[in-house]
């Protein structure tokens, strides 16, 4: 499969998998899955699940390590896409909370755990995709590994 086709499959799969996670979270309201799904929200949940699925599927196609040298930077960054979306989610979370910091009572802490959920889930998808890429890598016999 080519990357544009993988992208379309990933968008549909990301929406479906996060919707399934939301349904599972509704069945177990006070669980880790429910807390994480609620912390992600629909926007970042769909984005992270979609980009995570895209990164994993792209890593499974093994085109990332066997691409020509001119295409390396065009393809290998895909595995880091879920973590980047998670970092944008953290930045968005803190900027959204900025007006409310002064209004919080002193005994209520800033909800860091809900803000950092996006980068945590994104990093998990990135770790899986990176592990798949490194597991599929084969040594290049045309290059010399000798020093000097």
């Amino acid at each position: 499969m080519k990357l544009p086709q993988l992208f379309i499959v990933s968008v549909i799969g990301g929406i479906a998998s996060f919707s399934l996670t939301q349904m599972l979270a509704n069945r177990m309201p006070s669980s880790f899955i429910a807390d994480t799904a609620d912390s992600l929200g629909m926007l970042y949940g769909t984005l992270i699940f979609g980009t995570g699925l895209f990164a994993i599927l792209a890593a499974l196609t093994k085109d990332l390590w066997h691409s020509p040298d001119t295409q390396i930077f065009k393809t290998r960054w895909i595995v880091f896409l879920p973590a980047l979306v998670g970092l944008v989610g953290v930045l968005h979370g803190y900027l959204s909370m900025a007006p409310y910091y002064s209004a919080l009572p002193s005994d209520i802490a800033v909800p860091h755990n809900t803000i950092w959920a996006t980068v945590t889930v994104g990093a998990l998808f990135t770790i899986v995709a990176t592990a798949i890429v490194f597991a599929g890598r084969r040594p290049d016999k045309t290059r010399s590994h000798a020093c000097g």
Side-chain angles (χ1 to χ4, degrees):
M1 265 189 167
K2 301 287 183 193
L3 289 180
Q5 293 168 339
L6 284 178
F7 180 73
I8 293 170
V9 169
S10 301
V11 168
I12 295 168
I15 293 169
S17 61
F18 186 69
S19 298
L20 183 67
T21 305
Q22 285 285 71
M23 286 191 295
L24 184 64
N26 288 337
R27 290 182 178 249
M28 300 180 296
S30 58
S31 66
F32 177 73
I33 294 173
D35 291 340
T36 305
D38 289 340
S39 296
L40 289 175
M42 193 62 173
L43 172 67
Y44 286 106
T46 305
L47 281 174
I48 289 176
F49 274 72
T51 56
L53 187 61
F54 181 60
I56 290 170
L57 289 176
L60 285 173
T61 61
K62 301 196 189 293
D63 287 338
L64 298 181
W65 275 104
H66 301 295
S67 59
D69 288 337
T70 58
Q71 301 263 331
I72 286 174
F73 294 113
K74 291 182 180 178
T75 56
R76 290 189 189 162
W77 64 271
I78 292 172
V79 296
F80 300 107
L81 199 57
L84 291 174
V85 171
L87 286 174
V88 169
V90 168
L91 183 64
H92 180 233
Y94 278 117
L95 289 176
S96 297
M97 279 297 295
Y100 303 109
Y101 285 142
S102 61
L104 286 176
S106 61
D107 58 338
I108 296 178
V110 176
H112 296 290
N113 58 344
T114 58
I115 293 172
W116 282 90
T118 56
V119 78
T120 304
V121 175
L124 291 175
F125 278 118
T126 298
I127 289 169
V128 170
T130 305
I132 291 170
V133 166
F134 281 120
R137 187 180 73 159
R138 293 182 186 88
D140 192 4
K141 296 185 188 314
T142 61
R143 294 185 184 166
S144 174
H145 295 289
C147 296

